[in-house]
Amino acid sequence: MSAPTLLELFCIFFYIGLFTIGGGLVAITSMQQIVVGRGWITSEKFFNMVAISESTPGPIGVNMATYIGYEFHGTFGGIVATLGEILPSYICIILIAKFFARFQEKPVVKAAFKTLRPATSGIVLVACAQVFALALLNLSALAGGAAFSLKALAGLVKWKSAAFYAAAVLALFFTKVHPIAIVLAGALFGIVFL
């Protein structure tokens, strides 16, 4: 399938920026559905882009937009996709700043915010589950239709990655290791062991 045009990139990321409530991880789910769903990028390449975008400074949604735009049209594509991603937020913030004080105590506004929180949490959970499955599970082992056995079950897990994941979670919860150190250790681990 052919790559999107610059106008398509802008419109896609404007749409994602406009309807993404809850931050960059929510935007990733929408990006995946559009970009991978249309066959422009493979799932594996997409999640590699997610890993790189999470490792670089800045909001992950904006980093992904820049990366995807750059992938198709170089620097100018990155700029166009990034503008498409951030422009709706900019417009919304300007409007909210102007009118929110008048409407924040209205029952309809309060109810909307109460229902947006769990919906957004669910979308973030889906994105996390997809990244988790790609990073730690060998999903191709399921595709072969092998009979269920302990050996088949053991082959389903990428054990080296799972061990690093467990060590990173423990380090983050029980030590004062900075998350950047974990990200750098993850990059080094991937280079050396995977």
Side-chain angles (χ1 to χ4, degrees):
M1 196 166 219
S2 64
T5 65
L6 285 169
L7 181 60
E8 283 178 307
L9 270 179
F10 179 82
C11 291
I12 286 167
F13 284 102
F14 189 89
Y15 165 81
I16 291 168
L18 186 61
F19 291 105
T20 297
I21 298 170
L25 288 175
V26 178
I28 288 173
T29 304
S30 298
M31 288 177 199
Q32 180 193 17
Q33 290 173 342
I34 294 170
V35 177
V36 175
R38 294 183 183 186
W40 291 336
I41 294 177
T42 65
S43 283
E44 186 172 353
K45 185 170 188 173
F46 182 82
F47 284 112
N48 287 339
M49 292 171 121
V50 170
I52 291 169
S53 295
E54 275 195 325
S55 303
T56 54
I60 187 168
V62 174
N63 291 350
M64 280 295 292
T66 305
Y67 196 168
I68 291 170
Y70 181 83
E71 181 73 20
F72 293 120
H73 295 286
T75 303
F76 193 63
I79 292 168
V80 167
T82 302
L83 284 175
E85 177 74 17
I86 65 172
L87 195 57
S89 298
Y90 182 75
I91 293 167
C92 287
I93 291 299
I94 297 293
L95 293 174
I96 288 170
K98 186 166 177 74
F99 298 110
F100 188 66
R102 272 192 255 170
F103 297 107
Q104 67 182 346
E105 294 302 321
K106 302 268 185 203
V108 174
V109 174
K110 285 184 175 182
F113 278 109
K114 280 184 183 177
T115 55
L116 282 174
R117 288 183 199 116
T120 301
S121 299
I123 294 170
V124 169
L125 185 61
V126 167
C128 290
Q130 290 173 336
V131 171
F132 182 86
L134 187 71
L136 301 180
L137 300 178
N138 184 8
L139 299 177
S140 61
L142 292 176
F148 179 78
S149 67
L150 288 177
K151 186 177 180 181
L153 189 59
L156 183 62
V157 177
K158 296 177 182 175
W159 291 104
K160 290 178 185 177
S161 297
F164 181 81
Y165 172 78
V169 168
L170 291 173
L172 286 170
F173 277 108
F174 298 110
T175 69
K176 293 184 179 185
V177 174
H178 197 280
I180 291 175
I182 300 291
V183 169
L184 294 174
L188 183 63
F189 178 84
I191 291 167
V192 173
F193 295 108
L194 300 178

